Every structure is written in structure tokens, then in C-alpha cells.
Amino acid sequence: MEHLSEDHAKLLLTKEWLVKTDSESSTPYLLKFHASTIDLTCCLLITDTKSVWGEVLSSNQFARRWRDCNTQNSASIAEEDEEEAWRVQCLEFLSTVHSIGGVAELTFELVKSNFSDLAFTLAGDSFRWRWETFNVGPRMSADILSKHLILPMISMTHLAFASGDPLATVSTNDMEKSVDKVGRTARRMPDTHVRNTLSRPLLTTTLRRITAMFNFVPELPRIVADAATPDLTPPSPPTTSQAPPPTKPPPRRNPSPSPIHAFLAESSPQPKPSSRAKPSSRVVIPEPPSQADDSVTEEEPEEEDYPAMNSAGKATQARNANARDSSPVRSVPSKRVTPESPPPTSRDSPKEPSLPASSSPLPPPKKTKRAQVSSSSDEEDSEEERKKRLARLKGSSARGAKQPLKRGGKRF
């Protein structure tokens, strides 16, 4: 079964509206019918002014339905020429039925159907017909209602209010001329036509009162023939006698310190005001080098001692080294002063100038020449041996160039 399309809706533009009412729901339905004896098709449009339904029947579908609805008036299938002539007669009869005079003599009844959206029957004394219509959708419904009903009604209303004589007293020829004139204007400029029609105070207020009457409004608006032009000057702003108080800027809030900044501020030492800096009693004492490094930190001998390094001097030096090794060396452990710990005060320790906390530790001072410990062997030396050693030293001064003392690299 073919659905109603725009092409079928155009074929219905020249057809009149037919009205039938459902007695059970008291709902009026508007119908339009078109039949073609050339291709043996027919179509129907029905609306309740809210939704639109339609149906299109081909030649075979039309013949099948007629036989289903009118069994007593249906002939058996004859030859092709006779069947086609019979179908043409049935279409012409349906066209007569769907006319202004014919539909008024028919009964209208809605029936339930499992194959369509809206089904109804039209019945007379000697025949019966059934339509199975389908909804065409909201978009096409609005387009059909606008073209087939709303815009023609606006033009007819304009003609009724613009005519000097009542339309009921005008002849059909004069009515056709007036309708053609209004239709040409509306077709050429539809916007101007609709504006001029609905801008009439008498027409718009009449339409307003009819709308309120249909929707049970308790207080009906009055119909006005003339509308006065209102004053369109906008109201001036209010003037104040006193100037508005100056607005104060919103107070700015100081950003709260982050937890890390607060922790660093609490842990950092606060400087205490004092007129005189107290000297620190603690002195950083470097660790003494080991005995293996004595050759590195030992003080170099004077230039006058270089020529005295002979075989006798070597023996004396070895003897002194043995005595030095036998003597105990006192080492003082080093203590590192940190800036966080306060310097301890001691009455017994001598006051030394305090060292700044940020300064780097002092390099270890050069080790002074240890005082030779007098041993029993030195005391046994006699005065004569000393004189002989001095004489040898003087005698060896006539040697050649002085040889520097060979020593290893200094380590700190």
C-alpha cells in the first residue's frame, strides 16, 4: 500500500473540504478525496486539525476492497476490458459519494483496525466503503494544514472584512472576481498579504474574542474597531538628590605562608641584638698528621744546615729520629662547630676570637719543629765532640753548590 506523498497532496489542492463528525467522540473530521479514471487510482486526506492521515489505493487494491465491502454488488471477475470498465464506474461513483452533497447523506463511523492508524467507514442505503489511513508525520501535517486550510482561511477573512457588502448577498461571478484578485496579491506577496490582513484592529480583536470563547476564558476581550498609537518614549532613569557613596575596594587578604616557609622561619636562628659579640671559646683544632707524613709537614732546614749533611750528621739525625719516635705524641680530637649548636662557655679555656659559622675550616697549620728531647746519650756528649762537629761543619762549608733536600709532595 502506497503512502500519501507531496505529489498526492498537490492533487488534492483543487478539492473541497468535506466534513464528517464522529458521534461517539463529537470530533469533527475534514476530508479531501481525489480519483483518477486514467490510471484507476484514488487517494484520501483526513484531519482533525491536529494530525493528518491519508491513504492511496491502486487499481487492484481499489477493486479488491470494493469486493470485500460490497459482496452483493460485486460481479465475478470477467474479461480484462469488462473489468477495467467496471473499475472506472466504481471510481466515478466514489467521486460522487465524496462530494459536498453526497457525503452529507452518508454515515460516518470509526472502526478498529490492525493494519492502519485510523480506519473509518462511509455507508449508504445500498453500499458501504472503508478507508485504512496512515499518519503522514508532523512535518508533512503542518505543511498540508498551512497550504490547504490556514492560508486560504486568512485570505477569505481578508475578503470578508474588506468587502463593503456582505458576501452572502454578492453573486457568484462577483465573488470569483474578488477571490481571484485577493489570491493573486496573496500569491505574489504572501508576507504583505498576511500582515495587512491581521493588522486590522476589527479583524484581530474579533479573532481574539473567538479564541477566548472557544477556550472558556471567563472574561472575554472586547472588539475594537480603531487602535490608538501609544507613546513609545522609554522611561527616563530615576534621579537621586545625593551622590551615591563611594564604594570601598574590598579588603585584600595577605596570602598565608605555606607550611614549608613557616617551618623554615621557625627553624632558622633569630639574631639577638648585642652591643659586643662574645668571643667563642671553642677553637677548631685540626687533627695531627700521622707519623708517615712527618717528612711532608716537617719544617725545612735553614740554608746553612744543608752543607752539614754528611755522614756524621746522618748518624746524629738517625739518633734524633729514634729519640723522637720513642717520645709520645699527644693528639687532640677535632670538634666541628655547627651553626645550630650554641658555643659552650668554659672558664678554664682561654678566650679565643670566634670564627664565623659560614667560613670554611682553616687549613692545618704547618707542624713546627718538635723540640728535641734530650736523652741520656746527648748528655754524655762531651764538649770536645761538639767542638769537633762544629769544626767539621765549618770545614765542609767549602763544598760546591748546595743540594736541596729531597722531599715528597705535600698532602693536606
Side-chain angles (χ1 to χ4, degrees):
M1 184 178 296
E2 188 178 358
H3 293 276
L4 189 70
S5 62
E6 293 183 0
D7 295 336
H8 298 106
K10 290 180 180 179
L11 296 175
L12 295 171
L13 289 173
T14 58
K15 302 302 178 178
E16 67 276 6
W17 282 106
L18 307 176
V19 182
K20 295 301 292 186
T21 304
D22 181 24
S23 58
E24 294 182 359
S25 60
S26 300
T27 303
Y29 289 92
L30 305 179
L31 298 85
K32 275 191 174 186
F33 174 81
H34 170 76
S36 174
T37 56
I38 298 174
D39 53 0
L40 300 178
T41 60
C42 61
C43 60
L44 176 85
L45 172 69
I46 182 172
T47 178
D48 60 350
T49 68
K50 298 177 183 178
S51 301
V52 178
W53 299 269
E55 185 183 17
V56 179
L57 294 177
S58 62
S59 176
N60 294 335
Q61 292 172 348
F62 163 75
R64 189 181 306 113
R65 182 170 298 179
W66 180 272
R67 286 187 171 93
D68 292 341
C69 295
N70 303 279
T71 56
Q72 69 279 7
N73 296 330
S74 300
S76 59
I77 299 176
E79 295 181 0
E80 183 178 357
D81 295 339
E82 296 179 357
E83 179 70 19
E84 184 177 355
W86 175 78
R87 291 182 182 181
V88 170
Q89 293 176 1
C90 291
L91 280 176
E92 292 176 351
F93 177 78
L94 279 181
S95 299
T96 306
V97 169
H98 291 84
S99 61
I100 299 175
V103 76
E105 302 297 330
L106 303 178
T107 59
F108 179 86
E109 182 182 3
L110 296 179
V111 295
K112 293 182 180 180
S113 175
N114 297 328
F115 309 101
S116 62
D117 298 330
L118 180 67
F120 62 94
T121 59
L122 296 174
D125 295 336
S126 58
F127 85 100
R128 183 174 174 270
W129 181 257
R130 185 180 71 255
W131 288 105
E132 301 277 352
T133 59
F134 298 89
N135 196 315
V136 298
R139 183 175 180 179
M140 189 174 179
S141 298
D143 185 68
I144 290 175
L145 291 176
S146 176
K147 291 180 178 179
H148 289 255
L149 187 61
I150 297 176
L151 289 178
M153 290 289 288
I154 292 176
S155 298
M156 190 177 64
T157 305
H158 171 75
L159 180 62
F161 278 83
S163 178
D165 299 330
L167 297 180
T169 61
V170 179
S171 62
T172 55
N173 293 332
D174 295 340
M175 179 67 68
E176 288 180 358
K177 294 179 181 179
S178 301
V179 169
D180 294 344
K181 182 179 179 180
V182 172
R184 284 192 294 267
T185 305
R187 184 179 58 187
R188 185 169 55 252
M189 294 180 295
D191 54 341
T192 306
H193 172 67
V194 173
R195 183 189 61 192
N196 294 337
T197 302
L198 297 180
S199 296
R200 296 173 178 270
L202 186 62
L203 190 151
T204 55
T205 55
T206 302
L207 185 62
R208 177 185 63 177
R209 190 177 180 89
I210 294 174
T211 305
M213 178 70 72
F214 283 165
N215 293 275
F216 303 96
V217 176
E219 296 182 1
L220 298 177
R222 298 184 63 84
I223 297 177
V224 180
D226 297 327
T229 303
D231 185 11
L232 300 180
T233 304
S236 59
T239 57
T240 56
S241 57
Q242 297 179 357
T247 58
K248 295 182 179 180
R252 298 180 60 185
R253 297 178 59 185
N254 296 329
S256 59
S258 62
I260 298 177
H261 294 169
F263 175 75
L264 294 178
E266 292 178 1
S267 61
S268 60
Q270 301 293 336
K272 298 181 180 180
S274 60
S275 59
R276 183 177 61 187
K278 295 181 180 180
S280 175
S281 60
R282 178 174 293 184
V283 180
V284 179
I285 302 176
E287 295 182 0
S290 61
Q291 294 181 3
D293 299 337
D294 288 346
S295 63
V296 178
T297 58
E298 253 185 358
E299 191 178 82
E300 298 178 3
E302 301 294 334
E303 292 182 0
E304 57 187 14
D305 295 340
Y306 289 141
M309 297 300 293
N310 50 14
S311 60
K314 290 180 180 180
T316 306
Q317 186 177 1
R319 192 166 51 251
N320 294 339
N322 293 334
R324 185 171 60 253
D325 295 338
S326 61
S327 61
V329 179
R330 182 176 62 184
S331 62
V332 182
S334 64
K335 296 181 180 180
R336 180 175 296 177
V337 180
T338 59
E340 288 80 0
S341 60
T345 57
S346 174
R347 295 180 180 178
D348 300 336
S349 61
K351 294 184 178 181
E352 296 290 334
S354 61
L355 297 177
S358 62
S359 63
S360 60
L362 296 176
K366 282 188 177 182
K367 184 178 180 182
T368 58
K369 189 175 182 180
R370 292 190 179 91
Q372 295 182 357
V373 182
S374 60
S375 62
S376 59
S377 61
D378 294 336
E379 292 177 357
E380 293 177 358
D381 292 342
S382 61
E383 186 71 14
E384 295 178 359
E385 292 178 354
R386 295 179 181 177
K387 291 180 179 180
K388 290 179 181 181
R389 187 168 57 252
L390 293 175
R392 283 195 298 271
L393 293 174
K394 291 179 180 180
S396 62
S397 61
R399 292 178 61 182
K402 298 179 181 181
Q403 298 296 329
L405 179 64
K406 186 177 181 181
R407 58 189 181 275
K410 293 182 181 182
R411 291 179 293 176
F412 296 92

